[in-house]
Amino acid sequence: MNMDLPGHARIVIVGGGIVGSSIAYQLTKAGISDVVLLERGVLSCGTSWHAAGLIMQLRGGHSTTEIARYNAEFYPELEADTGLATGFKQNGTLAIARNMDRVHEMKRRASLAKSFGIDAHVLPPKDVKDMYPALDVSLVAGGLFIPKDGQLSPVDTVNALIAGAKNRGARVFEGTPVDAMQRLPSGDYRLDTGNGVITCETLVLACGLWTRDFAARLGARVPLYACEHMYVVTEAMDFVVPTLPVLRDTDGYTYMKEEAGKLLIGSFEPRGKPLPVEKLPAEQQFIEMQEDWDHFELPYTKAMEMIPELENIGINKFMNGPESFTPDDLPCLGEAPGLPNCFIAAGLNSEGFEISPGISRALAHWIIKGEPETDLLDYDVARFHPFQVNKRYLRERSSESLGGIFDMPWPFKDHETSRPARKSHLHDRLVAAKACFGEIAGWERPMWFASEGVEPKNEYSFFRPNWYEHTAKECRAAREGVIIMDVSSFGKTMIQGRDACQYLQWMCVSDVDVPVGKLIYTHMLNSMGGIECDITIDRRAEDCFIAYSSASVHCRDMNWMRMHIKPDQHITLTDVTAAYSVLNVQGPKSRELLQSITDTDLSNESFPFLTAQEIDIGYARVLAKRQTFIGELGWELQIPSEFVQDVYDLIVEAGKSFGLVQAGYHALEHLRCERAYREFVLDLAPDDTPFEAGLGFIVKMDKPGGFYGRDALARQAGETLNKRMVNFKLNDPEPALFHDELIRMNGEIVGYLSSGAYGFNLGSAVGMGYVKHPGGVSADLIGGSKFEIEIACESYPAEASLRPFYDPTGVRVKM
């Protein structure tokens, strides 16, 4: 029976499923007992109750695996702590491949597992058959077995978490729907429920697929959309014993697990079935929807192919329940932008029991300490753009997101749905130039340009995707001639006001109080000295600056800046991304080309590196910024968007005399890796410092007044660090690198690649990644050690260096 609802609590959690119960448990375990959890019905009645309860440790990359792998450690601890059974058993996961591309992907995951000490075994078809005799091994090309994975009982697990939280002081109220919410002038949150009113200092919204509409009451953006998620439970089968591993047939869109002697067969079909939340009964608990054999036919047919015995077995239960999915198949986690102390924990994409232990522990630290202690960039709810709560966008994308759980994770694979959403003013011209487009944050961006007679369409590969030959041509033109690239999608934030300079001086590691027209590459840090923003700043006036961010993190950057403005500071932040288009003109001939269409002196003496000037091109006043992200002489031309078509046409026409080549974002990636330019999210994250990243030259430790995060950074200044970014170049010209490949030093795993690309101008693949060594990562250590890069369980000798392999002294950008 519920107690009386208290009038106030330090922390209120809304939602009593796996996410909310996990957060309550972790908060109380960390010593916060004043926690209240509100559940509108009974515990786990939303979507947790019908989960399959699969437990896997490996994800697609290092940062996400770091979160997920905690589950295998946590669930046994939970049982020991509470004395309650969760049904957790480590019968292992057996993933099977129907083709050699999937085998290669499994080998990449097996390599990833090594860096975490996760036991993983790549198996030939014969061993797969021995482990799972019911399979038609003629369809199996290989397998991956992870013994410490397994399964659990969802409802029992939620009950154990709640019991553990209550044992440490948490109060739980079932049958307590929240009718209204508001943020009070004091900063507290007020929740009106059917059982009374409660206020709190910190609010956590963990309401599953209902979180989008629920959070919108406070103005928070949480892009979720529901899909119907289906599984069946068969009649009893002789081979289905308690020790049977969980089977993942991703090429067949199905997973299968033992369920009391029966087989539970679920699917992540190529295209899911979107479900508007408005169609769900508002008050109903334990929602089940109608069977849909037409939709389930494809995955079940695939299941019968793989296990022929299914053709003769009946079905005991067809389960069709709602699940929510996000636009990028990654959770929504963290403090809601513009709502201090309001945290979101939702959108787990049908994988709640796998990652709830990790994300709840991370969120508990974030709530208590005010900042995350780990890299949560992939999960941060602040990453989303305002338009991404558009219901049509979410409905179309959610069907792909469901299928994306089992889709092949090709390098640079693009979404196909909800496109086009955002287009630059040059889109039609780029189409005419045969651009193949990719999508990021809704933007259609040219990735590569097809030659005459070639269709601009991606053919993905772990080895040589079809765009390599075209991108190679673009990369050679950047190094030898001149290229033009539309980079209008980069985020632009105008920072204005009488306190703008003072504010940026405190927030940035570099000296921002520079003459008007000077460009500053800089970082903003967290209190631990980790990198939160990786930006370039252009001072436009005494009280006006423009900060430039990559498109994927622009909203997050703006949120970081906004949340650190003090109440008494006179500062405004304005998103001016759409107001300005940007053309990137780069290469040794860029000065000659641009000089032919402007009367401004572009010589090195009159227009130095890392400065900006307004120049005339055609009828437009253009802000020309002499900077580069590829390591060549070049300019980024920031143009009022209404003028960009004319300016582009002028450059393209004039460029005919200089061999101008259209280039896309793939070329940008290959070129910046050759020059070892770091990219935020990949190479720079909140648990990396500028000194570790090899970017200490931008840090002004003696800046008057210091900067945010300086105290933590001071411990590293001038020291040989145990973690350091190192550049690598393969000796073998054949393999390709992408990211997450292991780094071996003298045979031992010492890190992994954060970025990788083929160095078309170097003759082999290059990459960069953090090397860790307890004795310090010095030039002597790097020079005196033998390095290899492990790709899909095979090691390749590599040259290592603290300096870039292309133009190590950086003379080309200052020509």
Side-chain angles (χ1 to χ4, degrees), residues 13 15-26 37 39 43-49 51 53 55 74-75 78 152-162 206 208 323 345 348 350-357 359-360:
I13 302 167
I18 179 58
V19 180
S21 60
S22 294
I23 294 168
Y25 182 89
Q26 292 291 349
L37 184 147
E39 165 55 50
L43 295 170
S44 78
C45 73
T47 58
S48 295
W49 71 277
I55 300 301
F74 172 75
Y75 285 120
L78 175 64
L152 49 67
S153 167
V155 174
D156 290 342
T157 300
V158 171
N159 288 336
L161 288 163
I162 291 295
E323 294 275 6
L348 272 60
S350 197
E351 297 174 316
F353 286 86
E354 293 178 21
I355 61 177
S356 280
I359 68 166
S360 60

Side-chain angles (χ1 to χ4, degrees), residues 489-786:
S489 63
F490 273 63
K492 311 164 193 75
T493 303
M494 187 170 287
I495 306 161
Q496 296 171 284
R498 73 182 188 204
D499 297 320
C501 183
Q502 177 193 45
Y503 161 79
L504 288 172
Q505 279 290 76
W506 171 246
M507 291 300 297
C508 298
V509 301
S510 310
D511 185 1
V512 180
D513 193 3
V514 296
V516 172
K518 178 66 177 172
L519 302 175
I520 313 107
Y521 171 58
T522 190
H523 294 153
M524 293 181 178
L525 308 181
N526 54 42
S527 61
M528 299 173 288
I531 302 165
E532 292 286 349
C533 300
D534 175 61
I535 56 178
T536 300
I537 293 177
D538 174 17
R539 188 168 198 173
R540 291 285 82 222
E542 289 300 309
D543 60 352
C544 181
F545 300 77
I546 300 179
Y548 300 90
S549 308
S550 66
S552 62
V553 297
H554 177 223
C555 283
R556 186 183 181 278
D557 283 355
M558 285 195 70
N559 181 60
W560 183 262
M561 296 178 203
R562 186 175 287 114
M563 67 190 293
H564 287 91
I565 297 174
K566 297 175 182 177
D568 62 345
Q569 287 183 316
H570 289 253
I571 298 169
T572 60
L573 302 182
T574 308
D575 181 359
V576 295
T577 303
Y580 298 102
S581 299
V582 181
L583 295 176
N584 203 2
V585 182
Q586 300 279 324
K589 296 181 181 179
S590 59
R591 178 181 284 122
E592 298 174 68
L593 168 55
L594 292 175
Q595 193 66 82
S596 72
I597 55 175
T598 184
D599 56 8
T600 301
D601 184 357
L602 302 181
S603 66
N604 205 39
E605 296 73 24
S606 298
F607 207 138
F609 181 56
L610 289 181
T611 62
Q613 297 180 32
E614 285 195 338
I615 68 175
D616 291 338
I617 298 180
Y619 299 117
R621 290 290 286 168
V622 173
L623 179 61
K625 299 174 293 171
R626 190 176 164 195
Q627 61 184 30
T628 182
F629 196 50
I630 68 169
E632 297 292 341
L633 171 70
W635 280 261
E636 288 186 7
L637 306 178
Q638 181 172 304
I639 307 154
S641 289
E642 65 269 29
F643 288 97
V644 70
Q645 293 180 352
D646 180 51
V647 173
Y648 172 85
D649 291 344
L650 283 168
I651 295 173
V652 169
E653 181 61 31
K656 293 177 181 177
S657 301
F658 300 91
L660 179 68
V661 170
Q662 301 270 4
Y665 278 81
H666 282 318
L668 189 68
E669 181 70 6
H670 289 261
L671 292 164
R672 70 102 184 164
C673 284
E674 289 181 346
R675 185 61 181 84
Y677 284 148
R678 282 61 158 158
E679 183 172 323
F680 193 58
V681 179
L682 293 176
D683 313 302
L684 308 172
D687 53 1
D688 307 317
T689 72
F691 289 128
E692 292 168 344
L695 299 174
F697 63 89
I698 70 172
V699 180
K700 304 302 179 186
M701 293 296 294
D702 58 351
K703 183 169 60 170
F707 53 85
Y708 186 57
R710 184 193 180 282
D711 291 347
L713 216 55
R715 294 189 287 271
Q716 294 187 345
E719 300 294 323
T720 299
L721 305 179
N722 296 339
K723 170 186 171 184
R724 183 71 161 78
M725 178 67 80
V726 178
N727 306 308
F728 299 92
K729 177 178 177 290
L730 296 185
N731 296 343
D732 187 335
E734 287 304 311
L737 294 173
F738 299 101
H739 59 79
D740 286 312
E741 296 88 353
L742 297 190
I743 302 168
R744 290 186 178 273
M745 184 176 73
N746 302 325
E748 298 295 322
I749 297 171
V750 292
Y752 60 91
L753 296 187
S754 53
S755 282
Y758 200 86
F760 294 114
N761 296 288
L762 296 171
S764 66
V766 291
M768 62 189 97
Y770 291 96
V771 169
K772 297 181 180 180
H773 188 264
V777 182
S778 64
D780 288 343
L781 178 75
I782 300 302
S785 300
K786 177 184 176 183

Side-chain angles (χ1 to χ4, degrees), residues 115-137:
S115 63
F116 289 102
I118 297 174
D119 195 16
H121 306 274
V122 178
L123 305 177
K126 178 183 179 300
D127 291 354
V128 171
K129 178 72 172 178
D130 291 342
M131 185 170 290
Y132 210 111
L135 299 180
D136 180 352
V137 76

Side-chain angles (χ1 to χ4, degrees), residues 2-6 14 38-41 173-181 190-198 214 217 283:
N2 286 343
M3 304 169 287
D4 291 335
L5 188 70
V14 182
L38 307 178
E39 165 55 50
R40 68 183 178 94
F173 296 87
E174 298 179 277
T176 308
V178 176
D179 301 318
M181 292 187 299
R190 170 181 166 137
L191 290 81
D192 292 70
T193 80
N195 295 327
V197 174
I198 184 171
F214 196 73
R217 300 181 191 180
E283 304 300 328

